[in-house]
Amino acid sequence: VASRLKDWVAIESDSTDPEKRHLVINMMLLAEERIRKLGGTVEMVDLDMQELPNGNKISLPPVILANIVKDPKKPTVCFYGHMDVQPAKIEDGWSTEPYILTEKNGKCASDDKGQVLAVLNAIEALQKHELPVNVKILLEGMEEVGSIGLNTLVKQRNSTFFSDVDYIVVTDSAWLSNKPGITYGTRGICYFFVEIECAKRDLHSGSFGGILHEAMNDLIFLLDTLVDSSGHILIPGIYEAVAPLTEKEKKLYEGIEYDLDQIMAKYGLEEFRNKTKEELLMQRSRYPSLSIHGIEGAFSAPGAKTVIPAKVTGKFSIRLVPNMEPSVVEKQVTDYLNKKFTELNSPNSIKVASDTGSKPWLSDINEPQYLAARKAIKRVFGKEADMIRAGGTIPIATHFQEVTRKSIMLLGIGGPDDASHGQDEKISRYFLLIFLKIINMLI
Amino acid sequence: VASRLKDWVAIESDSTDPEKRHLVINMMLLAEERIRKLGGTVEMVDLDMQELPNGNKISLPPVILANIVKDPKKPTVCFYGHMDVQPAKIEDGWSTEPYILTEKNGKCASDDKGQVLAVLNAIEALQKHELPVNVKILLEGMEEVGSIGLNTLVKQRNSTFFSDVDYIVVTDSAWLSNKPGITYGTRGICYFFVEIECAKRDLHSGSFGGILHEAMNDLIFLLDTLVDSSGHILIPGIYEAVAPLTEKEKKLYEGIEYDLDQIMAKYGLEEFRNKTKEELLMQRSRYPSLSIHGIEGAFSAPGAKTVIPAKVTGKFSIRLVPNMEPSVVEKQVTDYLNKKFTELNSPNSIKVASDTGSKPWLSDINEPQYLAARKAIKRVFGKEADMIRAGGTIPIATHFQEVTRKSIMLLGIGGPDDASHGQDEKISRYFLLIFLKIINMLI
C-alpha cells in the first residue's frame, strides 16, 4: 500500500509549469487506473484549452468523474481531491528529494495525493465486506493554479453527476493538532491592487529627488491607512456585516487543541496579537484580517539602487468571514482608497483593482454527515472532534455549496505540521490508517 | 574622426558583467593607443583583483595614467574619464543596435566614451599649433560599478602623478539644456536599509492573517513617517546643517536655461512640486530630498500571492547638500526610526543599516579654471555659461577634492537629452565640435 503512495509522489505533477503538463495528465491516468481496479466506472472529462500568459494554448488535464454506485437506497458520498502539486526542488531546502517518497519517523505527502489515496485505500478495505455508502469521486489536476475549468464543469454536471449526491467530502484540509478535526468553514478573500503612477518611465533620484510627488510616497501613505498597529482594519464599514458571536459557537473554540507556544517556536514568532488560544482561533476563523503582501514595480532586488519608480502597485488582501460580501468589501475599499488619495492632493494617477473575490463558506455542524463524522471520530479517539474553521480559502468548497446546494464537509487528514506547499511536505502514516476507520463509521 | 568614436562604441565594455571584462580591458588598450599617438607617455596601472559575490576573483581593468607634459612653466590640466558602459541590449528598446554607432540628425555616446574622445580630439587639433597647457589624463574602466580600486590609486599617486596638477576636469557630466553649462557642485547621498523581521519563514495570510504583527505593517508605518505629502523630510534635525542661501547664489539659478514643460512632457509628469524654474533647480541642487526606492523580501512579482513576508527591508536614500555630514545624517535617521518603531509596541525586530555615505561636493566658481571655462563659453556662444549643481552624486569629484585638494571642475559636454544609461543614448556631433574651442580657451 505504501508503494502506491511512492508511485504517486514520484510523478512531478506540477500544474504551475506548462512544461510538466504531461506529468499531471499521467497522474490523472494513474488515479483512473486505481479507481477502475476498485470496480468504479470512470469518465475522463476533457476541459477547454488553457491560455497561457504568452497567448499559447495547452491542454488542461482531464477531470475524473467516477462512480462506485451499488445501491440506490444508500446515501451517496462524493469525494473531491486533486492530483496536482506545487513546484518543489531540493534546492528549496527539502531534506530529501521532494518527489521521492521518504519514510521518516513513521511519516511520509499531504496536499493532496496522500489524502486521496487514503480515501481509495479505505474504499478498497471496506469493499472486502460491504461498502456502506455509494461513492462518487471527483479528481482534478489544476487545483494549485485555481481549479481552472472546474467551476464550469460542476455547473454543467449539477443535474447529472451531482443529482444523486447527498454529501460532498473535500479531502484537501488539515487538522490543527494531532487531535482529529473537521473543517466546517473557511474565510473568503478579496485581493486588491492599488496602482500609483507618477511618470511614464523610472527616474533617477539624483536628478528628480525632491521636485515631484513620487508614486512610492503616495502608495506608502495609502498602505499605511489600512490597518492600525493593533491589526484593526481602518476601512469604514468593514466590520458591519460580520456575524455576531453566539455562546454556542464560542464554546467550540474552547475544546480545540492548539499549542500557541509550539506554533510560535516553529515559525520563529515573538508573540501573537491575541493572548488566549480562543481569541486567536476566533480572530483567525471568524473575524476579517488585512495583510499587505508587497509592491510590484519598485526596487525589490538585493543591494542599493537610487531609482524613483514610475509606477508601483501595492498588493493587499482582506480575509472575509460570514456574512461579508466580496462586492460590498470591494466597494468599501475602493471608495476609501480613492477618498484617502484625494487627501494627498497628489497630481499622480491612482487605479484600484481587485481579483474576483471568494466568499467565506460555513456549514452547519449538525448536518447528517457532520454528525456521522463527529461520532466516528469520538468512537475511534475517545474524544470530540475539533470543529475547525480554516483561516484560508478553499474556493471549491464555496463553489460546491453555491452550485450544488449539497452538504459540504472538509474531512482532511493532513497533520498540522505537514507544511503544505513548504519544504519537507509530508503526511503521517498514522493519519492514513485512522482515516479508514473514520470512513467506515461515516454513515 | 567619427570612425574613432564608431570603433570605441563598438566595444561592449560593460563593467557590470564579469564575462565582458576582457572587452573593458580591450577598450583601455584602445584608449592607450590613441593617447600614445598624441605623443603621450602612458602608464597602465594594474589594480588588485575584484572579488565577485560568488567569491571568485577576476582582474580589474588597468587604469590609464598619461602625460602630455611639455613645459613646466605652463599650468597642468588633468582630465578624468571612464571607458566602461552599462549593459545595453536592443531588446531594452533601443531604436538601433546599441553598440553600433548610428548617426541620426547630426547626433550619434555620451556617458562617457564620446566625451573622452572629444578631449583627445581637441588635444590633437591644438597640437597642430601649440598645446596651451600641459595635459594629464586619468582613465578608468570601472566607473559604472563604483570606480573599484580608483580611490586607493588616487591616494597612492597623490604626491606623484597629481603633484604638478593644477586643475582636474571631470568629463562625465551633462548640461541642463542646449546652453553650455559647467557643474560646480553635486549632492551627496546616504542610502538606508530598514529591515523588519516577524518570523523565520514566510507565512500564509489565511492561517496567520490577523493574529500577528506583520513585518510589512511595521515597515509601511516607518516608511510613512519619513516625508510628508509636500516632500518635507520629517526626520528631526535633517535641515539644520543646510547651508543658507545667499543672494549671489540665488542669482545663478535665474540665468539657467531649463524648460520645465519639456521635461514634464518627456517623462510623463503631471506637475512638479515647485512652481518656478528657480525653486525647482534650488530644490534639486541645494536642498536635501528623500526617496523611497522599494522593499526587498516582500511579494514583488506580477499577479496575486497571499504571503505574509517574514523579513522585509525598506530602502530609501537622502540626497545630501552642503554642509550635511553623512555620519550625522546616518545617526539622525537611525535614531528616528528606532524611536518611531518603539511607538508601535511591535514584538518584531528592527535593523537600520546604511551604505557608506557620499558627501556633497561644491567648488568655488571663481577658481581660475572656472573663470577660464566661463570666459571660453561666453566667447564661443555669446552668453554666460549655466553654473550647474547636479542633483545626483559624482563620488569621484568628492574624492578628488578630498584627497588632492586641487581645483575640480565638471566640464562635460553631454546634452540634457542624451539619456545616460537609457535607451538610445547618444552624443551630439555639435557638442563634439565646440568642445575643441572651449579647451583652446580654457587658460
Side-chain angles (χ1 to χ4, degrees), chain A residues 73-88:
Chain A
K73 280 179 236 116
K74 286 180 184 169
T76 301
V77 181
C78 173
F79 290 93
Y80 160 86
H82 65 90
M83 297 285 97
D84 57 319
V85 299
Q86 288 220 346

Side-chain angles (χ1 to χ4, degrees), chain A residues 187 191 200 205-207 209 211 214 224 227 266-267 273 284 291 293 295 299 301 303 305 307 315 319 391, chain B residues 187 191 200 205-207 209 211 214 217 224 266-267 273 284 291 293 299 301 303 305 307 315 319 391:
Chain A
R187 291 198 285 187
Y191 200 105
K200 69 183 180 192
S205 71
S207 307
I211 62 175
E214 300 179 14
D224 196 33
V227 283
K266 181 179 171 192
Y267 292 97
R273 286 193 189 281
R284 208 177 78 153
S291 295
H293 308 298
I295 296 173
F299 174 55
K305 186 178 175 186
V307 65
K315 301 182 183 181
R319 295 284 168 178
Chain B
R187 291 197 287 188
Y191 201 104
K200 68 182 181 193
S205 71
S207 307
I211 63 175
E214 300 179 15
N217 278 13
D224 195 33
K266 180 178 170 190
Y267 293 97
R273 287 193 188 282
R284 207 176 79 151
S291 294
H293 308 298
F299 174 55
K305 187 178 173 185
V307 65
K315 301 181 183 182
R319 296 283 168 178

Side-chain angles (χ1 to χ4, degrees), chain B residues 183-305:
Chain B
T183 300
Y184 70 104
T186 65
R187 291 197 287 188
I189 191 170
C190 279
Y191 201 104
F192 294 93
F193 306 83
V194 51
E195 174 195 296
I196 308 284
E197 184 167 8
C198 68
K200 68 182 181 193
R201 56 171 113 165
D202 285 356
L203 304 169
H204 187 275
S205 71
S207 307
F208 289 90
I211 63 175
L212 56 88
H213 293 259
E214 300 179 15
M216 274 296 272
N217 278 13
D218 292 355
L219 181 60
I220 294 289
F221 168 82
L222 291 174
L223 294 178
D224 195 33
T225 65
L226 298 173
V227 284
D228 67 16
S229 63
S230 72
H232 187 83
I233 302 172
L234 298 169
I235 299 153
I238 217 83
Y239 291 98
E240 271 168 24
V242 174
L245 178 68
T246 64
E247 276 307 311
K248 221 169 163 181
E249 185 199 326
K250 202 173 164 189
K251 279 230 149 23
L252 291 175
Y253 300 103
E254 291 166 13
I256 294 179
E257 263 185 31
Y258 194 69
D259 188 335
L260 271 60
D261 289 337
Q262 198 184 20
I263 305 282
M264 276 170 53
K266 180 178 170 190
Y267 293 97
L269 311 177
E270 275 303 314
E271 67 176 48
F272 286 116
R273 287 193 188 282
N274 319 91
K275 295 303 163 207
T276 68
K277 174 193 74 179
E278 289 79 6
E279 281 171 17
L280 185 145
L281 289 171
M282 279 192 271
Q283 170 58 60
R284 207 176 79 151
S285 307
R286 58 128 36 244
Y287 290 114
S289 65
L290 188 153
S291 294
I292 302 171
H293 308 298
I295 296 173
E296 180 181 345
F299 174 55
S300 59
K305 187 178 173 185

